[in-house]
C-alpha cells in the first residue's frame, strides 16, 4: 500500500464506481452518463444545454452524444430558450422523469451502503481531502509553470 500514489487510489476507485454504475444502468438499457445527465437536468424547468457540460464535467462532444442518445430514447426534449433564442433548454419527458428517479435511487443506495460501512468522521475527512485536491487543481497550484 505504501507504494501506491494518491492519483492511483483516486483513479482505481473512480473506475470501480463507474463500472458499478454502468453495470447497474445497463440493466435498464442506459449508461452512467445518461443517469448523471438525468440528475443534472432540472426536473421541472429543464436546464440550458450550456450549463450541463460544466455541471457534469463533460466535454461538449461527449455531452452532445449523450443528449442525442437520450433524445432518441424519448428521455428528453429540446426547446428554444425563451430568454436567449440562440440557446436550447433540455427538458425531461415523463419517461425521463421516471428514469431520473431510478438514477436518484441508485445513487442514494450507493451512498447509504458507503455510509453504513464508513464512519461519519472518515467520510468528512474524505470530503475535505477531495475538496482540497480540487482546489489545488483549480488554483493551478500543482503544475504552475511560471
Amino acid at each position: 500500500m505504501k507504494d501506491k500514489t494518491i492519483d492511483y487510489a483516486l483513479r482505481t476507485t473512480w473506475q470501480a464506481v463507474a463500472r458499478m454504475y454502468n453495470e447497474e444502468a445497463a440493466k435498464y438499457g442506459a449508461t452512467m452518463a445518461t443517469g448523471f445527465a438525468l440528475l443534472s437536468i432540472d426536473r421541472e424547468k429543464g436546464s440550458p444545454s450550456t450549463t450541463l457540460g460544466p455541471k457534469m464535467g463533460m466535454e461538449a462532444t461527449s455531452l452532445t452524444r449523450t443528449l442525442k442518445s437520450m433524445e432518441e430514447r424519448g428521455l428528453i426534449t429540446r426547446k428554444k430558450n425563451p430568454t436567449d433564442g440562440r440557446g436550447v433548454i433540455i427538458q425531461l419527458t415523463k419517461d425521463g422523469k421516471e428514469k431520473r428517479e431510478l438514477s436518484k435511487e441508485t445513487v442514494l443506495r450507493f451512498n447509504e451502503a458507503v455510509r453504513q460501512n464508513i464512519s461519519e468522521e472518515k467520510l468528512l475527512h474524505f470530503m475535505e481531502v477531495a475538496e482540497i485536491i480540487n482546489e489545488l487543481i483549480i488554483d493551478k497550484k500543482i503544475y504552475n509553470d511560471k
Side-chain angles (χ1 to χ4, degrees), residues 50-143:
T50 53
T51 65
L52 290 177
K55 187 187 280 190
M56 296 174 59
M58 276 180 106
E59 296 294 324
T61 52
S62 296
L63 179 62
T64 299
R65 196 169 36 249
T66 299
L67 293 177
K68 183 177 183 215
S69 167
M70 291 172 70
E71 190 172 29
E72 288 169 355
R73 293 184 54 219
L75 301 174
I76 61 166
T77 58
R78 299 174 198 239
K79 299 206 169 137
K80 271 194 164 186
N81 188 333
T83 58
D84 178 2
R86 300 167 295 166
V88 174
I89 300 287
I90 306 297
Q91 292 189 307
L92 297 171
T93 62
K94 182 178 183 245
D95 194 32
K97 289 178 182 179
E98 290 171 6
K99 294 287 192 274
R100 183 184 194 280
E101 288 307 307
L102 189 59
S103 296
K104 183 178 173 183
E105 289 169 18
T106 302
V107 170
L108 291 175
R109 188 169 158 197
F110 168 75
N111 277 266
E112 186 57 33
V114 171
R115 288 185 187 286
Q116 287 178 358
N117 289 278
I118 300 174
S119 72
E120 195 61 38
E121 182 182 7
K122 285 184 179 182
L123 280 174
L124 185 60
H125 288 302
F126 171 76
M127 296 300 226
E128 289 170 354
V129 169
E131 188 176 327
I132 291 168
I133 290 171
N134 274 318
E135 287 172 5
L136 289 170
I137 293 167
I138 290 166
D139 296 341
K140 302 201 182 300
K141 291 186 176 178
I142 297 173
Y143 301 113

